Amino acid sequence: MSQVGVLEAGSRHDLHVGISPDAPDESALQEADGAFGYCHSYETSSRYDGPGLRVVLFVSGCLLRCTYCHNPDTWHLKDGTYVSAQTVLDRLGSFAPALRALGGGLTISGGEPLVQAAFTRRILAGAKDMRLHTAIETSGFLGDRADDRYLSVLDLVLLDIKSSNPDTYRKVTGRDLAPTLKFAERLAAIGKPVWVRFTLVPGWTDDPDNVEGIARFVAPMKNVQWVEVQPFHQMGEFKWKAMNLEYKCANTPASTPDLTERVIGQFRAAGCNAR
Ligand code: SF4
């Protein structure tokens, strides 16, 4: 049993490791009622992770191992702080009037929010009780865990589609692409608002055919409000080094403005609202 800790406001770029050494492995977690869970940190004033001003909660646990991940210290539950959902909601409550006034809300990112689906659902439901807009950022790999009850307290899904090619997806993430596409199709079928996010990593995901495949898949989906192209950067490199992990993107350059414009142009040409 992990010790309950104190979750401090911070930044996604802060390094957190080894805080809850007794935590279960993220692939073997058996959640009970979601009253407690593991978190990396939270930010209080993001304008990029959903509409309006956002509180962004970064939860621990992810089953993917993206080569370019900016936050490998969110992969394992043992690196997170064990906190109660009520503590998170109490903290969120103090920001709720400002978030409502500025048309914002809560976004749960990670890590992967669906690793701790009971915990994150409980927090999302509490945010809805505060009349806040709610969002999660997810790879969609565990989309089956977002059942109808989960989706009922979710206003927006920020869905990371990292590739349209199963081989590239496996090379970049270590996992199968199919569950993400299945989740995207389910969200489209029920009309749940989605912003698709695509991380543009030169040499890994920038192939025109790869981009074209995502664009063609997404363009007919009326529920997809935006496709956001997110240029790769090296801000996470220090975490890989500090954690003694092999960082395969050490020599990967940042995306140039020309490359970013080309990719945004590909999405727009396919009929997507892209930025
Ligand atoms: S899905 Fe996100 S948190 Fe998980 S490894 Fe990939 S980039 Fe990192």
Side-chain angles (χ1 to χ4, degrees), residues 52-103:
L53 185 74
R54 316 295 297 183
V55 164
V56 186
L57 175 69
F58 297 93
V59 290
S60 303
C62 185
L63 304 189
L64 274 56
R65 295 291 177 263
C66 300
T67 52
Y68 55 78
C69 181
H70 297 139
N71 293 306
D73 56 340
T74 63
W75 291 351
H76 305 298
L77 300 178
K78 66 181 169 63
D79 288 328
T81 303
Y82 191 60
V83 292
S84 72
Q86 192 55 52
T87 301
V88 174
L89 289 171
D90 290 345
R91 204 71 62 86
L92 182 64
S94 61
F95 300 105
L99 295 173
R100 280 195 298 266
L102 292 167

Side-chain angles (χ1 to χ4, degrees), residues 30 42 52 56 58-59 62 87-88 93 95 97 113 116 120 135 143 158-159 164 167 184 213 218 234-235 242 257:
Q30 301 280 336
Y42 69 95
V56 186
F58 297 93
V59 290
C62 185
T87 301
V88 174
F95 300 105
Q116 303 183 82
T120 54
L158 309 177
L159 181 63
S164 61
D167 293 337
V218 166
Q234 289 285 10
M235 286 178 74

Side-chain angles (χ1 to χ4, degrees), residues 3 15 18 33 39 73 77-78 96 113 134 149 151 166 191 195 216 265 274:
Q3 298 292 314
L15 177 70
D33 58 4
C39 297
D73 56 340
L77 300 178
K78 66 181 169 63
T134 58
R149 203 167 148 261
L151 294 178
W195 294 4
R216 276 202 312 270

Side-chain angles (χ1 to χ4, degrees), residues 132-160:
L132 293 176
H133 180 277
T134 58
I136 63 167
E137 178 167 20
T138 175
S139 73
F141 180 68
L142 300 175
D144 283 352
R145 294 190 187 177
D147 58 14
D148 291 347
R149 203 167 148 261
Y150 196 100
L151 294 178
S152 72
V153 290
L154 196 52
D155 295 313
L156 173 70
V157 177
L158 309 177
L159 181 63
D160 295 326

